Amino acid sequence: MLRFVTAGESHGETLVATLSGMPAGVRVDLGRVNRDLWRRQQGFGRGGRMKIETDKAHIVSGVRHGHTIGSPIAILLRNRDWKNWTETLPVEDYEGSSEHARPVSRPRPGHADLAGAIKYNYPEARYILERASARETAARVAAGAFAKLLLSEFGIEVLSHVVAVGDVKLGRRATWAELQALAAKDEVLLNCVDPEVEQRMKAVVDEAIRTKDTCGGIFEIVVRGAPIGLGSHVSWDAKLDGRLAQAIVSMQAVKGVEIGSAAVAAASPGSKVQDTIHYDRDAREFTRGSNTAGGLEGGITNGQDVVVRGYLKPISTLRRPLESVDLSTREPASAAYERSDVAVIPAAGVIGEAMVALTIAAAFLEKFGGDSLGEVRRNYDGYLQQVRSY
């Protein structure tokens, strides 16, 4: 079973990602891992933290001589900002530590601050926001990059793009070539495939910056090359669409998910939104007339592109603070301000790639798993022969 766990606080010494269940023999391209970490930090509207951190994966276990060895993989991502927080967030207490505390007693609407402080019985929200921070997603991206490396061994690729920023939307489907071109760019604005639409998206972010506000949007993840048969219809928690939805909504600030053309389908007659089935006798394979289902039917991949969208609310920390309450006095107060972004939709797409890749890779190993890459490949090749002879 492929499993990952992250640890670490936003301003702690390091973030940690551990990934277990990877078969031995997968070639590890550290450049690809670090490329995804770099992509997560890009995009117009990012805050000052991205000028401090330069995320690089430091692998301390599970990889030797450039290949996975079957044991758990541990990845460290050091926080360069830690030097400014060593006295505020020490592991061991020390005399006078209270003088260096940076309490968050005015919880921010939209964050975990208030609910977390009450849940864990803290007088203020510092420890809550340190872990709830989206800084944690850097560790997810590192783990997801390993899932991508595994999937790429079998011709499965995962890419993303931005569909909407505020009320500006891309009114068409992106081509795979366009997504590949975006992923290869060395300068990222808002990661939209249409330059004209991207400029209008930028204007939305510019206005949010001017008014000290924030903006949200929609990102889309596309998986190409997934075989028919990942996931299952037999129980609710085996359905791959449900697992993908949970993976996306687990991301900070994501409040909704869409698979395929769900929003359009909900407002359309059934005759217009089903993916008709055909058979190509020359290729000896089933084909579809469309892909409104987003590559998933009955919780099972059907061989088409898997298409998942995440709906990202505007970042909750505003430079123009919202109304809140002081936890010590219970009096009205302006919400606390922690260094933050204005827009993070391109970064959310990269994080979404990681979460989708981890979910698809887990389902892939459940079906074709083995202790080594060679064993997985034998199982996979045997299944493809079964599919071809169906």
Side-chain angles (χ1 to χ4, degrees):
M1 180 181 294
L2 188 71
R3 297 181 295 179
F4 84 101
V5 176
T6 71
E9 291 79 47
S10 180
H11 297 103
E13 184 174 359
T14 187
L15 296 172
V16 182
T18 60
L19 182 65
S20 60
M22 281 283 285
V26 177
R27 190 175 71 85
V28 176
D29 183 343
L30 195 55
R32 289 184 61 179
V33 176
N34 287 330
R35 170 75 180 181
D36 276 359
L37 290 169
W38 175 84
R39 290 174 61 225
R40 175 195 164 275
Q41 295 187 284
Q42 306 309 303
F44 185 67
R46 299 307 304 273
R49 185 71 185 271
M50 295 306 101
K51 297 177 182 178
I52 297 172
E53 306 296 347
T54 304
D55 291 332
K56 300 287 185 183
H58 178 49
I59 303 170
V60 296
S61 71
V63 177
R64 294 289 179 257
H65 299 284
H67 291 80
T68 59
I69 60 174
S71 59
I73 298 163
I75 309 162
L76 305 184
L77 300 171
R78 302 200 182 280
N79 287 328
R80 294 177 64 187
D81 205 16
W82 164 244
K83 64 180 183 292
N84 300 313
W85 291 80
T86 54
E87 294 181 317
T88 301
L89 296 170
V91 173
E92 295 186 66
D93 202 8
Y94 62 93
E95 186 176 351
S97 63
S98 60
E99 299 175 8
H100 299 281
R102 302 186 198 183
V104 179
S105 60
R106 294 170 288 124
R108 301 160 300 167
H111 281 275
D113 296 359
L114 180 59
I118 293 172
K119 173 181 173 64
Y120 289 96
N121 198 29
Y122 288 132
E124 51 92 15
R126 168 57 64 191
Y127 295 157
I128 302 303
L129 70 87
E130 285 294 328
R131 179 56 186 168
S133 167
R135 174 72 183 141
E136 177 264 347
T137 60
R140 300 196 197 195
V141 169
F146 275 82
K148 286 185 180 183
L149 291 172
L150 171 65
L151 293 173
S152 67
E153 294 277 0
F154 300 91
I156 304 170
E157 301 295 334
V158 185
L159 295 173
S160 69
H161 67 119
V162 170
V163 173
V165 175
D167 60 357
V168 176
K169 295 183 178 180
L170 178 70
R172 62 177 178 84
R173 287 289 181 186
T175 68
W176 186 251
E178 287 176 321
L179 298 186
Q180 289 177 310
L182 279 183
K185 290 177 68 174
D186 290 328
E187 185 176 356
V188 178
L189 185 61
L190 286 165
N191 211 43
C192 178
V193 297
D194 188 314
E196 188 276 327
V197 175
E198 187 171 60
Q199 286 301 317
R200 291 195 285 121
M201 290 176 172
K202 180 179 179 295
V204 174
V205 182
D206 282 329
E207 178 64 11
I209 293 172
R210 187 187 69 80
T211 58
K212 297 183 178 180
D213 214 324
T214 58
C215 51
I218 305 170
F219 58 90
E220 182 175 88
I221 315 300
V222 181
V223 183
R224 173 150 292 193
I228 294 173
L230 302 185
S232 178
H233 67 289
V234 299
S235 61
W236 70 270
D237 55 349
K239 290 176 176 284
L240 189 54
D241 44 10
R243 294 164 64 178
L244 287 166
Q246 196 277 332
I248 293 296
V249 176
S250 76
M251 293 166 51
Q252 290 86 337
V254 174
K255 302 298 284 186
V257 64
E258 177 183 12
I259 294 176
S261 302
V264 171
S268 304
S271 58
K272 302 296 184 183
V273 299
Q274 309 306 330
D275 303 320
T276 55
I277 301 172
H278 311 275
Y279 188 72
D280 185 329
R281 293 188 178 278
D282 292 331
R284 296 183 62 187
E285 65 181 12
F286 292 95
T287 62
R288 296 303 184 100
S290 57
N291 188 22
T292 59
L296 289 148
E297 292 173 309
I300 307 170
T301 54
N302 63 12
Q304 294 195 271
D305 289 352
V306 175
V307 182
V308 185
R309 289 184 173 186
Y311 287 69
L312 190 80
K313 71 175 183 176
I315 296 299
S316 302
T317 299
L318 275 66
R319 290 176 295 160
R320 178 166 47 87
L322 300 171
E323 293 179 358
S324 185
V325 171
D326 190 295
L327 294 179
S328 59
T329 67
R330 300 298 198 263
E331 295 295 325
S334 295
Y337 177 75
E338 295 272 317
R339 181 174 52 217
S340 186
D341 304 293
V342 174
V344 295
I345 306 96
V350 178
I351 300 158
E353 289 178 28
M355 295 306 296
V356 167
L358 286 159
T359 306
I360 294 289
F364 187 90
L365 289 176
E366 286 166 13
K367 184 161 183 62
F368 308 114
D371 296 316
S372 69
L373 183 63
E375 184 178 359
V376 177
R377 196 177 301 283
R378 287 196 301 272
N379 295 339
Y380 181 64
D381 289 345
Y383 176 74
L384 291 185
Q385 182 60 42
Q386 171 191 314
V387 171
R388 284 191 291 268
S389 62
Y390 180 79

